[in-house]
């Protein structure tokens, strides 16, 4: 299977107000990923959908957005394909959250780079109430398995930042920083739960004794947990046009620097270092003037294209 195969399906402008956003994944053996990709491509040509789906021999993962009918159609299609134990969550966006519809074939539906067996070896699932009780304990090591820029937008109180730029770096973090804590209670979390399926499997495979993770991830927690009972601080970074969400799955105040991808609080967007689509305080010193000119040109093209659509 080609690890980088990607095909695109056309997306029409949303006809109704608002978009339904569905985040989903399931680890399930897929006998012929390329065939599933093609049938999904055939389907999405007939409905108004945008976003990304990743297909691999180990399952499916992705986030898609569309009108109510389109989301119901894609959801039912996947149920009919045997993905009937999906971790599935819906939210809403006023603006179109993705530019295109992409359906990709990869070796993993989330790239850890180490072979694990998340269908057979997985940590203890905790619902939001159980999670609050666990992470309030002093004898628990709480780890945010997401990337550094996601941690920056928000995290659980007391969570450790592994300072990883990609999930592929997580096994090295475990080897260097956690190896001596195999007898401790380890609690881990991520956006929707999929990275923790693999990270808990990895730790159990490496001989850790007590490994826990938040079922449904941060998104489920924010959906179900009232703000006054929450141990979450800040906003949850999401990989779409909303940048971040908060309790009740409401869109947050963070905006994204489209030059480097880091989330910015409103005050950071007021700094002289911020130029829309060009730079922010986190990347202004990391690019040359020639690169910045290229970013400005790209941003002017994006702005012109948006005006044409209007």
């Amino acid at each position: 299977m080609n690890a980088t195969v990607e095909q695109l399906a056309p997306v029409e402008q949303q006809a109704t107000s608002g978009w339904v956003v569905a985040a989903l994944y399931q680890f399930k053996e897929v006998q012929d990923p390329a065939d599933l990709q093609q049938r999904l491509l055939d389907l999405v040509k007939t409905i108004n959908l945008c976003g990304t789906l990743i297909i691999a021999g180990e399952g499916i993962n992705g986030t898609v957005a569309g009108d109510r009918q389109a989301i119901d159609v894609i959801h039912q299609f996947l149920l009919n394909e045997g993905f009937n134990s999906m971790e599935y969550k819906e939210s809403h966006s006023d603006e179109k959250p993705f530019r295109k519809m992409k359906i990709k074939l990869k070796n993993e539906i989330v790239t850890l780079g180490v072979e694990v067996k998340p269908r057979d070896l997985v940590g203890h699932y905790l619902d939001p109430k159980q999670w609050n009780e666990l992470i309030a304990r002093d004898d628990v090591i709480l780890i945010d398995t997401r990337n550094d820029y996601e941690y920056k937008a928000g995290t659980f109180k007391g969570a450790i930042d592994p300072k990883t730029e990609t999930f592929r770096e997580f096994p090295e973090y475990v080897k260097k920083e956690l190896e001596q804590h195999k007898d401790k209670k380890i609690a881990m979390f991520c956006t929707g739960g999929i990275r923790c399926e693999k990270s808990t499997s990895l730790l159990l495979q490496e001989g850790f004794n007590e490994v826990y993770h938040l079922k449904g991830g941060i998104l489920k927690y924010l959906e179900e947990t009232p703000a006054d009972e929450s141990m979450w601080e800040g906003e949850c970074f999401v990989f779409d046009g909303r940048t971040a969400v908060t309790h009740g799955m409401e869109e947050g105040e963070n905006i994204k620097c489209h030059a480097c991808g880091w989330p910015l609080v409103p005050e950071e967007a007021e700094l002289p270092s911020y130029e829309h689509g060009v730079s922010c305080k986190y990347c202004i010193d990391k690019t040359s003037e020639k690169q910045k000119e290229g970013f400005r040109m790209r941003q002017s093209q994006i702005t012109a294209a948006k005006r044409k659509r209007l």
Side-chain angles (χ1 to χ4, degrees), residues 187-221:
M188 296 185 289
F189 63 93
C190 60
T191 307
I194 187 170
R195 282 177 277 188
C196 284
E197 300 270 10
K198 284 201 167 183
S199 61
T200 56
S201 187
L202 172 69
L203 263 63
L204 291 170
Q205 189 171 286
E206 293 296 318
F208 286 76
N209 296 320
E210 291 190 69
V211 185
Y212 303 83
H213 63 135
L214 178 60
K215 183 169 175 57
I218 302 161
L219 296 181
K220 191 71 172 176
Y221 183 92

Side-chain angles (χ1 to χ4, degrees), residues 11 18 87 117 129 204 222 229 236 241 245 260 282 290 299 304:
V11 180
E87 190 65 51
K117 298 179 179 179
K129 184 178 179 181
L204 291 170
L222 294 178
E229 298 176 14
C236 176
V245 296
C260 68
Y282 300 101
K290 184 176 180 180
Q299 188 57 46

Side-chain angles (χ1 to χ4, degrees), residues 15-264:
T16 59
S17 60
W19 295 74
V20 182
V21 183
L24 59 96
Y25 77 86
Q26 183 179 339
F27 287 99
K28 175 186 179 300
E29 185 178 0
V30 178
Q31 293 289 344
D32 191 343
D35 175 67
L36 178 58
Q37 179 198 37
Q38 187 55 58
R39 288 185 291 113
L40 277 166
L41 280 166
D42 293 340
L43 174 67
V44 300
K45 288 175 183 176
T46 68
I47 56 178
N48 190 21
L49 210 65
C50 60
T52 300
L53 289 174
I54 298 170
I55 303 165
E58 65 180 8
I60 193 166
N61 176 33
T63 305
V64 294
D67 55 29
R68 179 73 267 166
Q69 182 181 8
I71 294 298
D72 288 345
V73 168
I74 192 77
H75 190 192
Q76 189 59 53
F77 174 91
L78 293 173
L79 290 173
N80 292 343
E81 290 293 318
F83 291 101
N84 45 24
S85 298
M86 282 186 291
E87 190 65 51
Y88 181 89
K89 293 172 286 296
E90 289 188 359
S91 55
H92 293 82
S93 175
D94 292 333
E95 303 292 332
K96 182 179 176 181
F98 303 100
R99 291 177 56 235
K100 300 176 181 178
M101 183 67 220
K102 304 177 184 179
I103 302 179
K104 304 179 180 181
L105 287 184
K106 290 193 173 184
N107 289 331
E108 300 179 75
I109 56 175
V110 59
T111 304
L112 181 63
V114 173
E115 187 175 349
V116 294
K117 298 179 179 179
R119 295 196 301 273
D120 304 322
L121 195 63
V122 69
H124 300 288
Y125 293 105
L126 299 179
D127 63 30
K129 184 178 179 181
Q130 294 170 318
W131 179 255
N132 277 356
E133 292 171 356
L134 179 72
I135 67 174
R137 297 175 52 153
D138 294 332
D139 60 342
V140 174
I141 298 175
L142 178 61
I143 301 171
D144 191 331
T145 66
R146 303 172 304 154
N147 302 326
D148 48 9
Y149 55 89
E150 297 173 84
Y151 181 94
K152 189 259 180 188
T155 193
F156 281 103
K157 182 179 181 181
I160 295 170
D161 176 13
K163 295 181 171 59
T164 52
E165 294 184 6
T166 70
F167 189 47
R168 186 185 283 273
E169 297 173 14
F170 192 74
E172 187 63 23
Y173 167 78
V174 172
K175 193 175 295 184
K176 287 183 177 180
E177 304 295 336
L178 290 184
E179 189 71 24
Q180 67 272 33
H181 299 301
K182 288 185 175 180
D183 59 335
K184 298 289 183 65
K185 293 180 176 65
I186 309 291
M188 296 185 289
F189 63 93
C190 60
T191 307
I194 187 170
R195 282 177 277 188
C196 284
E197 300 270 10
K198 284 201 167 183
S199 61
T200 56
S201 187
L202 172 69
L203 263 63
L204 291 170
Q205 189 171 286
E206 293 296 318
F208 286 76
N209 296 320
E210 291 190 69
V211 185
Y212 303 83
H213 63 135
L214 178 60
K215 183 169 175 57
I218 302 161
L219 296 181
K220 191 71 172 176
Y221 183 92
L222 294 178
E223 180 184 8
E224 295 185 355
T225 308
D228 61 355
E229 298 176 14
S230 177
M231 297 183 72
W232 178 261
E233 298 178 330
E235 299 178 354
C236 176
F237 184 95
V238 290
F239 293 89
D240 60 53
R242 295 172 297 177
T243 304
V245 296
T246 186
H247 291 91
M249 296 301 291
E250 296 293 327
E251 187 169 351
E253 294 184 350
N254 275 262
I255 64 170
K256 187 182 298 181
C257 172
H258 292 287
C260 68
W262 275 69
L264 310 173

